[in-house]
């Protein structure tokens, strides 16, 4: 997985980078066909936001969360992304099985 982390009004320290990498390692446990990942961390007055764009075969998955704490926003983002990836994976596997069921061997 190619992971690109950038910040808007936030300095990406090695601690923040390591935290993002460890949190998104959970996504790889469920689905290892991720092509590219771009994480953008930003800070506005009184809130931090984190967003991710995950490129998987056939689709781009985009998630965005805001929170008062940057680390909490990263936690929420990784959980939300994990749920989206599991949903994508189950839909992809269901559609591949469906075509074989609909075939008639008549």
């Amino acid at each position: 997985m190619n992971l690109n982390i950038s910040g808007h009004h936030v300095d990406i320290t090695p601690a923040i980078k390591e935290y993002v990498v460890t949190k998104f390692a959970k996504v790889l446990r469920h689905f290892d066909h991720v092509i590219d990942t771009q994480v953008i961390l930003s800070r506005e007055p009184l809130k931090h936001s984190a967003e991710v764009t995950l490129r998987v075969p056939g689709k781009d998955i985009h998630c965005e969360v805001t929170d008062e704490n940057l680390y909490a926003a990263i936690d929420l983002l990784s959980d939300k992304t994990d749920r989206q990836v599991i949903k994508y994976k189950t839909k992809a596997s269901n559609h591949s099985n469906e075509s074989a069921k609909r075939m008639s061997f008549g």
Side-chain angles (χ1 to χ4, degrees):
M1 173 177 77
N2 185 12
L3 181 65
N4 185 9
I5 303 170
S6 61
H8 293 265
H9 306 292
V10 175
D11 292 330
I12 304 299
T13 63
I16 292 174
K17 185 174 182 171
E18 182 65 28
Y19 193 73
V20 170
V21 169
T22 56
K23 284 296 182 179
F24 277 91
K26 182 170 74 169
V27 174
L28 284 180
R29 281 188 287 161
H30 292 285
F31 190 67
D32 59 350
H33 299 294
V34 176
I35 299 168
D36 185 34
T37 305
Q38 179 155 0
V39 178
I40 300 172
L41 306 173
S42 61
R43 185 186 71 184
E44 295 175 14
L46 302 176
K47 68 178 180 176
H48 294 272
S49 65
E51 61 183 90
V52 66
T53 302
L54 226 76
R55 286 183 174 70
V56 294
K59 187 173 182 169
D60 287 350
I61 298 172
H62 181 80
C63 300
E64 185 174 346
V65 295
T66 59
D67 198 83
E68 294 176 359
N69 185 356
L70 180 63
Y71 288 97
I74 294 169
D75 287 341
L76 292 171
L77 183 68
S78 70
D79 292 340
K80 188 173 182 179
T81 306
D82 195 36
R83 287 191 306 268
Q84 294 264 340
V85 166
I86 290 171
K87 183 178 174 182
Y88 167 78
K89 184 179 173 183
T90 55
K91 278 187 176 184
S93 66
N94 287 344
H95 287 291
S96 66
N97 291 341
E98 221 172 86
S99 62
K101 289 179 185 175
R102 292 179 186 221
M103 293 175 97
S104 62
F105 295 104

